[in-house]
Amino acid sequence: MGGNLAKSPLAALFYTALFHFIAVFLPFSESYGSLLHSYEPQISPIRHLLLVAYCLWIVVVIALVLWFTEQKKFKSFLLLLPTCLGVQWAVPLVQQLALGEVTGAMIQKDTLLHLIQGCGATILTLVLCFLLMSQKIAAHTSNTPSPKKYKLKYLRLVIFLLVLPLIYSILQFVLGYFLAWRNNAFRAYYQGGGNQGIMYMIIEMLLDAPRYAVFSLLRGMLYALFSLPLLLLLPGKRVVYIFSQTMLFLSGAFLYVLPNPVMPVPVAVTHLIATAAALVIYGVLSGYLLHTCFEAPKPAEVAKNAPSSKGAEAAKNPAAKTAPAAKAPVLANTTTRKAK
């Protein structure tokens, strides 16, 4: 594990460089492109360091999952890929991609290109992590027994997939009101009216803009669906799964601290606090509930499928043969009788 973590800073720097490199070749709109060029000289070194920290955060999660998974090599890569792309980029940008950016500075094409930028950098970084850590994966899994066959409870999974989006929506609106909507700068950015209470805000949204409630449910559903491949990687590691899933969920909140020419820093920080609080609670809760959908094999089944001790010894030493049973020596009677 330590070797994988030691390689994480190198992969994070590669991830950061890819971010900037891919953006050079993307045909952003003329208005947004000019805004980016005028904004780049104003980016403080701290914002650049935050981008490196964001990339390091993702790489550490990848290293953690690759170390603890019982899946081997290429299958672990294929399962990690949709989780990283979906949780990091698709879910946080789905509403903006469908409805547009609130200020109008970014058109939907710009949002799509931003999605391509993030996904491209993530795919190449995941390939690099797989190449750097594949030897560690092989060494870690070569001495371990074959993974147990966990049973998936489909009915429970379907129930949770229907309930979790509602939980996410409640968390988003409640925490979003108390941690963000009461902020005057936040409401001014989103062209909201005065603060008249949480119930008024929810009722007004449901009557005037129900699409926001629909997209909130959609994001809750997508977060749960994109975390299922990660669940297949860690069926017997509940704590590791909850921790890694929550860290990946938080990557959607950390997007607000990356350099952004459209959103002012106070609004971005407010967004970060509200979104991170909701995603931490949702990540822990959904991770626990989804992991209970896997049923570990019973001890009787494990013992039945496990090779016997004699078979194991024979497998270790196939040349050994069972020695024939030795006959007990016949002891001569030491007592003799004298014949007279």
Side-chain angles (χ1 to χ4, degrees), residues 82-329:
T83 298
C84 291
L85 297 183
V87 172
Q88 280 185 255
W89 302 106
V91 181
L93 294 176
V94 61
Q95 179 175 320
Q96 182 174 326
L97 184 61
L99 304 180
E101 196 266 331
V102 63
T103 64
M106 293 179 65
I107 61 176
Q108 291 174 319
K109 174 188 173 183
D110 297 326
T111 303
L112 179 61
L113 292 176
H114 185 54
L115 176 64
I116 294 173
Q117 175 190 3
C119 290
T122 301
I123 292 173
L124 295 177
T125 303
L126 191 58
V127 172
L128 177 65
C129 291
F130 178 74
L131 294 176
L132 289 176
M133 303 170 188
S134 59
Q135 294 180 354
K136 294 294 182 180
I137 299 171
H140 175 61
T141 57
S142 59
N143 297 326
T144 58
S146 58
K148 302 176 183 178
K149 295 182 179 180
Y150 289 84
K151 296 180 180 179
L152 183 61
K153 301 178 180 179
Y154 292 98
L155 180 59
R156 178 180 294 186
L157 177 63
V158 172
I159 293 174
F160 286 158
L161 288 178
L162 294 176
V163 173
L164 285 174
L166 182 61
I167 296 175
Y168 174 81
S169 298
I170 295 173
L171 288 173
Q172 183 189 14
F173 290 128
V174 173
L175 295 178
Y177 171 77
F178 288 103
L179 298 179
W181 192 252
R182 295 194 297 177
N183 184 288
N184 295 330
F186 186 89
R187 291 200 311 275
Y189 177 80
Y190 284 99
Q191 302 175 1
N195 179 22
Q196 301 181 15
I198 182 173
M199 293 305 300
Y200 180 85
M201 181 197 73
I202 294 177
I203 294 173
E204 184 182 21
M205 178 199 64
L206 293 176
L207 294 177
D208 297 338
R211 60 184 181 275
Y212 293 115
V214 174
F215 275 98
S216 178
L217 293 171
L218 178 62
R219 283 196 301 272
M221 173 67 76
L222 291 177
Y223 270 125
L225 289 176
F226 280 120
S227 63
L228 291 182
L230 183 64
L231 181 61
L232 297 176
L233 282 171
L234 303 167
K237 306 287 193 304
R238 177 169 297 178
V239 176
V240 178
Y241 170 70
I242 295 174
F243 180 73
S244 57
Q245 174 184 276
T246 305
M247 289 181 70
L248 283 177
F249 281 9
L250 279 174
S251 65
F254 292 157
L255 290 177
Y256 290 109
V257 301
L258 302 184
N260 189 347
V262 176
M263 185 175 293
V265 175
V267 178
V269 172
T270 305
H271 251 305
L272 169 65
I273 296 172
T275 307
L279 289 177
V280 166
I281 299 174
Y282 184 69
V284 174
L285 181 60
S286 63
Y288 175 80
L289 293 178
L290 290 176
H291 203 277
T292 60
C293 295
F294 268 114
E295 181 181 7
K298 298 179 181 179
E301 296 178 358
V302 176
K304 181 179 179 180
N305 297 328
S308 61
S309 58
K310 293 182 179 179
E313 292 178 0
K316 292 181 181 179
N317 189 11
K321 296 182 179 179
T322 306
K327 295 182 179 180

Side-chain angles (χ1 to χ4, degrees), residues 13-28:
L13 292 176
F14 177 77
Y15 198 178
T16 307
L18 279 175
F19 239 94
H20 295 290
F21 180 76
I22 294 176
V24 175
F25 300 95
L26 296 178
F28 291 108

